Structures are given as C-alpha cells and as structure tokens.
Amino acid sequence: MKATQPRRWVAGMVCVGLATLGVVNAPIASAEPYSVGFSVSYDSATDPKIGVDTKATIGTLDVRPGSDGNRVICISSGFNDPKTLTEAGDREDPQLAALFHLKDEEGKTLINTSDPVTAAALAEWTKRRLDDHPAEVDLAWQAFKEQHPDAVAPVEAKIAALGEYASKYTGNYTADPALKLSGTSGSVSSLGVKSGANWLAGYDLSVTLSGPATFENGSTAWRGKTTDSPSNLPIKITGLGEVTVSQKVTDLPGKSYRFYGASDFPASRLQNMVSVNPSSLE
C-alpha cells in the first residue's frame, strides 16, 4: 500500500486560558470585603499628608461599574479607588495577558480568584511590572511582610511560579505536525503548540486524519490536551491514497489586557486599573 503525506494544520485560537496553576492555601483571611488578598497600612510616599496611615490591599479589588464583570488590580498605588471605571482600552503584554487568563483550581481566572495568596501574588507581580508609583509598591510590600509574616513565603512562592509560567508566552503561537508513513502503519508527531521556543501545556487539542488512515482505535479524530513537549500518535493505513493530518489548538490567551484609565490622571489622584481583556473571554 502506498500513501502520500502532505502536511496541513490549523491552530485555532479562542482566547480563554484554561491551563491551571496550583493554589497554595494560606491560613489568612482575605482583606476588606471588597477585596481578595491582604490589607496593609503604611505611611504613603505619594500622600501629601505626612504621617497619616494609608490603607491598601495587596490583592485584587471588587467588580465595579465599568469593569466588564471582572475584578481589577490598581496600578497607581497610593492614589484613591475610583469605584467606577469610565475610560477603557487594550494594551499589549502577552505575559500579563496569559496570567489573567490562567485558571486556578476552582476554575476561576486568576484575576477573579477567591484565594488570597493567588490574588496577592498576581497583584504584586502586576504592580512590579506596571505601577505608576514603584516606591509606593515597595512601601506596601514592606508593610505586608511586617503585618502578615505567615503569608509572605506562600505569596513569594506563588509570585515566582507566576513569573515562570508567564515567561513562556510571547503572544505568537506556532504548530507544525509531522506525518510519517511506512507500509500499513505510521505516526503523527510534533503535535501541540509553541510560543517562541516553549511548548505550552494544558490547552484543548484536536487532531484529524483525512484519507485512508485511522488512529489505533479506528477513529479519524483524536482529542486531548497539549503538553510541555511535542505529542506523538501512531496511525494505521487502511488503503491507497493521500493521507493528510490537521490539528486545532483552542483556548489560547490573547496578547493584551484591559487598561482602565482614571479621569484627569494624575491630578485627580484616582487610580488606574487593569484586568483581563473581556473580549478574549467570549
């Protein structure tokens, strides 16, 4: 029997992150009712009233008018919570976008997690990357270490894990499955998806054969999850003719996050906020 083997592939991208990252449970209650994380107080570097304690949250803040149904993270530490968001736009950052789409063990996107350790780690990772007032971030973090000593190690470990995960994402995805045939058998190799040089695990993967060939179970379709290395599947040749293979990877993160700009910033002393890009959750 003889079969030819041109290659075809499709990498479908329906921007919703379904990979998971384990949640570390800390025996610490969340901060204020409107937040998930840890409340702190400190002497602000941006508040003109010297010696007056500023209250802040190391974590995510509540869903509010204008936030598209998602929790938010402040990136103007030391300024006031606007409560209502009016000016929105998308900003490109594939690594942050990937984290916002990542799901915790409860199936919630990290921006909407109910776990205080995860929320605190995500907020701190985000603030160190984007905050308008890095000195304020440092002051709040120092206060967190002093006021919540039991939570420091779990949050720092989670920050490191988030950073490692995010480092794999460039926002560009490639796939190139290979088909090899020999007599009445063969294989499909290099299945999965890459971002840069990194194979990405945890995304829905479907592989379809066309022509006189099946997978070992007799089906022409296979479904599973991508892994952090290329996957290989054996196939059977059932007749003469051309055999082709296509793959589809879905639920990959987009490149951007949602930015909510404060009105009359910075004169208003209202905070800019960020969250998951809602269009990628559709």
Side-chain angles (χ1 to χ4, degrees):
M1 295 183 180
K2 182 179 179 182
T4 58
Q5 48 190 17
R7 293 178 293 170
R8 300 175 185 169
W9 57 267
V10 178
M13 302 175 188
V14 185
C15 310
V16 179
L18 292 180
T20 61
L21 193 66
V23 172
V24 180
N25 294 316
I28 309 289
S30 183
E32 303 300 329
Y34 69 88
S35 64
V36 178
F38 303 93
S39 58
V40 297
S41 59
Y42 63 96
D43 188 5
S44 171
T46 62
D47 194 323
K49 293 178 281 190
I50 303 299
V52 176
D53 280 346
T54 292
K55 292 184 177 181
T57 296
I58 307 293
T60 59
L61 303 179
D62 63 325
V63 176
R64 74 272 313 283
S67 71
D68 302 293
N70 296 297
R71 302 183 69 84
V72 295
I73 293 173
C74 151
I75 57 166
S76 304
S77 295
F79 279 10
N80 299 316
D81 188 334
K83 295 300 182 183
T84 299
L85 305 177
T86 56
E87 300 178 27
D90 298 335
R91 293 192 176 181
E92 187 169 315
D93 186 331
Q95 294 186 353
L96 186 58
L99 290 185
F100 281 165
H101 287 280
L102 182 61
K103 290 193 175 181
D104 66 13
E105 290 182 347
E106 295 180 341
K108 297 178 180 178
T109 53
L110 292 200
I111 192 68
N112 294 310
T113 185
S114 58
D115 176 63
V117 169
T118 301
L122 179 64
E124 188 66 16
W125 194 93
T126 302
K127 286 172 177 290
R128 293 177 185 178
R129 195 173 184 88
L130 299 177
D131 205 284
D132 302 307
H133 307 137
E136 197 80 11
V137 175
D138 292 341
L139 287 172
W141 182 251
Q142 183 59 40
F144 165 71
K145 293 169 67 175
E146 294 170 357
Q147 296 164 26
H148 300 280
D150 292 342
V152 174
V155 172
E156 287 184 336
K158 180 68 72 173
I159 291 172
L162 293 179
E164 181 179 0
Y165 179 88
S167 68
K168 299 177 181 179
Y169 286 81
T170 66
N172 297 311
Y173 303 107
T174 59
D176 191 17
L179 182 64
K180 182 178 181 180
L181 306 178
S182 179
T184 59
S185 63
S187 65
V188 180
S189 60
S190 298
L191 293 168
V193 64
K194 295 170 71 176
S195 183
N198 302 297
W199 291 92
L200 305 179
Y203 296 98
D204 292 331
L205 169 65
S206 60
V207 185
T208 303
L209 293 172
S210 298
T214 68
F215 294 107
E216 287 197 321
N217 63 0
S219 173
T220 58
W222 181 93
R223 290 178 176 81
K225 294 284 187 179
T226 62
T227 65
D228 57 7
S229 60
S231 297
N232 305 304
L233 295 173
I235 64 173
K236 296 178 180 180
I237 305 303
T238 59
L240 297 174
E242 180 182 86
V243 175
T244 61
V245 60
S246 63
Q247 77 160 25
K248 183 178 181 181
V249 179
T250 57
D251 305 322
L252 292 165
K255 295 183 179 182
S256 63
Y257 62 90
R258 178 57 56 90
F259 173 83
Y260 299 98
S263 300
D264 195 25
F265 181 86
S268 64
R269 294 186 57 80
L270 295 176
Q271 298 166 339
N272 293 322
M273 301 281 190
V274 296
S275 189
V276 64
N277 186 340
S279 65
S280 65
L281 297 178
E282 297 173 352

